[in-house]
Amino acid sequence: MNHFELKNHLREAYMRFPEAEVRPVIGITGNFEDGQLRLGRGYYDSIVAAGGVPLVIPPVADTDVIINSLSRIDGLLLSGGGDVNPLWTGEEPSPLLHGINRERDLPELLITRLAFNRQIPILGICRGIQVLATALGGKVAQDLSLLKLEEGKTLIKHSQDADRNESTHTVTVGRGTILSQIYDAPKLHVNSFHHQAVSDGGPRLRVSAVAPDGVIEAVESSEFKSILGVQWHPECLAQGAPLFQWLVSCATAWRQAQQLHDRVLTLDTHCDTPMFFPQGVRIEERDQRILVDLHKMDEGRQDATIMVAYLPQPTEHPTEYADQIFDQIEAMVRRNAGSIALARTPDDLWRNKRQGLKSIMLGIENGIALDGSVERLRHFADRGIVYMTLCHNGDNDICDSAKGTATHGGVSAFGREVIAEMNRLGILVDLSHAAETSFYDALDISRVPIVCSHSSSRALCDHPRNLTDDQMRALAAKGGVAQTTIYSGFLRRHGESTILDVLDHLEHAIEIMGIDHVGLGTDFDGDGGVRGLANSSELIHFTLQLLARRYSEADIQKIWGGNFLRVMAQAQQNKA
């Protein structure tokens, strides 16, 4: 073959279709020196060898450029280089600080935080681990000599004179860490070229490896995410390849989840964001006070949510109270008509998705909104509510609550009228918060399946708000659905709840009820949210967990609202 005949080099692509296999794209942040963008070849060679496609990202501090870049990559590699300006962590520079790189700092801090918001897998190398810590709320020691070591330990040499491909010290790998899964070894031999180190990973990062002197050599996500930072340079080491293979593997999974979200419709069946309207929140702004806004919904690839008008007990003029909440939701939707729309039916949801719009459905949480009049259900049906939670944390005139005093011994006579009218109007009966007696009464009364929009399993967490296995079986037998909620106190009685607890509750419900009767109702902004599933931006992380557990696309769609929408459609089609 003539090496300089271009057609010879094109033959491999031209002799097949598609011309290339699809591989995950890994963005690599470029170094900046002497007015030039530079990058050591070890970074991109390692990505190619691991099965990825390297894409060099220049240090440009333009959020439009960064966000468009992030939309085209499946993983992010933060490369090595000079020191990060300590002013970014609120510190003044030490005399021991080396050269900072102002061209890189802001662009890399921006891209790291924005990639983190989107759950994009990240690997940080040398400077990259320090960028991770700085961007995600940790701290970096400006020089190793400023670290406070444990008593009896002294610094080892962290800046080697040997060749870059030579290991010069060891690190101890923490049990149960990403590193331990990658290497399956308690110790690793690494190279070392640094005079700084992460001194505190902050709330989002945990230590996963340390040097013999106790210096932090690796950190990873404390929220079960694909984020890893190492202080050494694996691109120079033969044994560094597994780290790049890990990144490419995570990027492949993330790409798969993104593509799945393009095809399925993701519905959260219960959120309380309207409770924050009095604080002046705006859904079009990324606001730390709320867990659901357009930014977070977009980052988590969430299509729809059911926002409820929650009524505390007692509430003066409850019908008007609910109406003013719906007025505010409608005003919010009108203000963002190019991004979001109201929906009343499953068909509305799919139509909005096809048009690139997020959807809001309306619900009522606490039947006191009727103010004792069954006729007001017609008013709320006209406003577009899809369900009403019969009660909240106290008995009302409709039924007894799980936290009530058994006023009626179940559903009241008025409650029977309410359920019958809800059936007639096509409004789903929601029994989250209801007492067991109310639950079984409603099952008998309703001529269409009922729902529990945000209820977890009592077998795993003994709380009266949760459903017993017998309740779950009865609900499934009548065609209903139970939406696992992520309120911490309903997942675990003691200790911190995490996304793993949510999955445990979901899988228990599947075991008891079957895959056709489960889903997710987060209770976001009603105290819902746990580590690893803290807000709408992290909902795609839930999908990643489901894919890792080998759920099929069809089953994931059922979990992500398909089952709930089936029951909704049935209720709406059977209205009188």
Side-chain angles (χ1 to χ4, degrees):
M1 171 178 115
N2 185 340
H3 178 78
F4 295 101
E5 286 280 351
L6 181 58
K7 65 181 181 181
N8 292 330
H9 295 276
L10 290 170
R11 183 175 291 115
E12 183 179 355
Y14 285 178
M15 293 296 289
R16 61 180 179 176
F17 188 84
E19 292 184 340
E21 64 179 358
V22 176
R23 298 181 181 181
V25 177
I26 308 298
I28 308 175
T29 57
N31 200 355
F32 188 87
E33 188 177 344
D34 298 331
Q36 296 184 16
L37 175 67
R38 297 185 177 183
L39 187 69
R41 69 176 298 170
Y43 294 109
Y44 56 84
D45 280 351
S46 297
I47 292 298
V48 172
V53 177
L55 178 68
V56 181
I57 300 175
V60 178
D62 182 314
T63 53
D64 286 341
V65 170
I66 291 171
I67 291 168
N68 276 277
S69 298
L70 290 174
S71 71
R72 290 161 171 80
I73 66 173
D74 308 303
L76 178 63
L77 174 58
L78 302 171
S79 65
D83 294 351
V84 177
N85 192 327
L87 291 176
W88 289 109
T89 58
E91 295 183 358
E92 296 296 335
S94 160
L96 299 171
L97 185 70
H98 290 191
I100 60 175
N101 195 323
R102 68 181 300 272
E103 293 290 336
R104 295 187 68 179
D105 283 355
L106 179 55
E108 290 189 350
L109 292 172
L110 285 170
I111 199 170
T112 300
R113 189 52 188 261
L114 290 167
F116 171 84
N117 291 346
R118 287 156 174 77
Q119 319 307 314
I120 295 175
I122 306 174
L123 172 62
I125 292 175
C126 197
R127 169 188 162 90
I129 188 178
Q130 293 152 30
V131 170
L132 269 175
T134 303
L136 300 182
K139 292 287 186 180
V140 176
Q142 296 182 45
D143 189 82
L144 293 170
S145 64
L146 300 176
L147 287 171
K148 293 182 179 180
L149 302 181
E150 293 181 18
E151 186 175 350
K153 290 189 175 180
T154 58
L155 281 172
I156 65 171
K157 187 174 182 179
H158 283 274
S159 185
Q160 68 189 63
D161 300 317
D163 291 340
R164 298 179 75 85
N165 59 3
E166 181 74 18
S167 298
T168 57
H169 72 78
T170 62
V171 297
T172 300
V173 178
R175 293 181 178 178
T177 61
I178 294 173
L179 271 180
S180 69
Q181 295 166 14
I182 293 172
Y183 284 101
D184 191 24
K187 285 193 175 183
L188 301 176
H189 292 84
V190 302
N191 52 15
S192 193
F193 306 94
H194 65 108
H195 79 103
Q196 292 190 330
V198 173
S199 57
D200 179 6
R204 294 187 168 96
L205 299 172
R206 65 170 182 163
V207 177
S208 52
V210 295
D213 52 12
V215 170
I216 295 173
E217 290 278 342
V219 296
E220 64 182 52
S221 171
S222 60
E223 301 167 323
F224 310 98
K225 301 177 183 180
S226 300
I227 298 175
L228 176 62
V230 297
Q231 189 59 70
W232 61 92
H233 279 267
E235 79 279 8
C236 299
L237 297 170
Q239 63 269 36
L243 284 171
F244 298 97
Q245 292 163 359
W246 168 84
L247 178 61
V248 169
S249 174
C250 293
T252 301
W254 188 83
R255 183 189 187 100
Q256 181 184 3
Q258 292 282 309
Q259 292 172 337
L260 188 149
H261 275 242
D262 288 339
R263 298 187 296 269
V264 305
L265 191 143
T266 52
L267 170 67
D268 170 14
T269 60
H270 189 91
C271 88
D272 281 296
T273 306
M275 289 175 62
F276 285 81
F277 286 170
Q279 297 184 26
V281 300
R282 297 171 69 86
I283 199 171
E284 62 268 31
E285 299 175 4
R286 198 175 205 282
D287 194 324
Q288 65 179 1
R289 292 173 294 176
I290 53 177
L291 305 183
V292 182
D293 56 42
L294 284 176
H295 292 262
K296 298 184 186 81
M297 290 180 73
D298 192 55
E299 291 158 358
R301 302 297 299 274
Q302 179 184 358
D303 294 311
T305 188
I306 301 179
M307 284 191 178
V308 299
Y310 159 68
L311 285 84
Q313 222 165 298
T315 294
E316 292 186 5
H317 311 297
T319 302
E320 291 82 355
Y321 186 93
D323 273 333
Q324 62 88 17
I325 293 174
F326 294 143
D327 289 344
Q328 292 177 74
I329 293 174
E330 290 174 353
M332 172 191 76
V333 170
R334 287 193 300 271
R335 194 170 64 243
N336 297 280
S339 302
I340 197 165
L342 291 172
R344 297 187 176 204
T345 69
D347 286 344
D348 290 345
L349 293 176
W350 281 106
R351 182 168 53 252
N352 288 344
K353 182 178 175 70
R354 287 192 297 270
Q355 294 175 355
L357 299 171
K358 305 295 183 188
S359 292
I360 300 291
M361 286 184 147
L362 304 179
I364 290 175
E365 187 172 26
N366 200 343
I368 64 169
L370 302 182
D371 202 11
S373 172
V374 73
E375 287 77 16
R376 288 192 172 91
L377 274 170
R378 165 58 69 182
H379 166 74
F380 286 122
D382 291 342
R383 294 220 65 163
I385 69 165
V386 295
Y387 73 66
M388 183 172 75
T389 314
L390 297 188
C391 63
H392 195 252
N393 290 337
D395 302 345
N396 61 18
D397 54 0
I398 296 174
C399 68
D400 293 340
S401 164
K403 298 183 73 175
T405 56
T407 303
H408 311 287
V411 173
S412 69
F414 173 64
R416 289 177 174 271
E417 293 181 46
V418 167
I419 292 172
E421 183 68 0
M422 291 174 72
N423 287 171
R424 193 180 72 80
L425 294 172
I427 300 170
L428 285 170
V429 176
D430 176 24
L431 288 175
S432 287
H433 289 283
E436 284 191 59
T437 50
S438 301
F439 175 92
Y440 287 112
D441 281 352
L443 272 184
D444 289 338
I445 297 165
S446 180
R447 61 180 174 81
V448 297
I450 63 175
V451 300
C452 293
S453 67
H454 57 305
S455 295
S456 293
S457 167
R458 200 179 301 184
L460 301 188
C461 178
D462 188 11
H463 192 288
R465 262 283 281 112
N466 285 339
L467 300 175
T468 66
D469 288 357
D470 285 343
Q471 284 179 284
M472 287 184 178
R473 293 187 188 99
L475 182 62
K478 288 292 187 78
V481 295
Q483 306 290 103
T484 296
T485 193
I486 59 176
Y487 183 93
S488 181
F490 303 155
L491 296 171
R492 181 187 288 268
R493 293 297 283 171
H494 305 289
E496 181 192 17
S497 300
T498 73
I499 188 173
L500 301 183
D501 294 298
V502 181
L503 288 159
D504 286 347
H505 278 258
L506 174 69
E507 293 193 319
H508 180 79
I510 292 171
E511 180 182 352
I512 299 299
M513 305 175 70
I515 192 66
D516 294 322
H517 302 280
V518 299
L520 192 70
T522 65
D523 209 9
F524 280 157
D525 290 321
D527 287 333
V530 296
R531 183 159 59 94
L533 200 55
N535 58 56
S536 284
S537 76
E538 299 188 350
L539 291 179
I540 194 166
H541 188 210
F542 190 69
T543 302
L544 282 163
Q545 293 286 337
L546 294 175
L547 287 170
R549 296 182 182 214
R550 306 297 183 185
Y551 282 89
S552 68
E553 180 171 328
D555 286 347
I556 290 174
Q557 176 60 93
K558 290 177 181 181
I559 293 167
W560 262 132
N563 293 330
F564 195 91
L565 294 179
R566 181 196 72 244
V567 177
M568 181 186 295
Q570 186 174 346
Q572 293 176 350
Q573 290 164 5
N574 283 279
K575 64 183 181 181

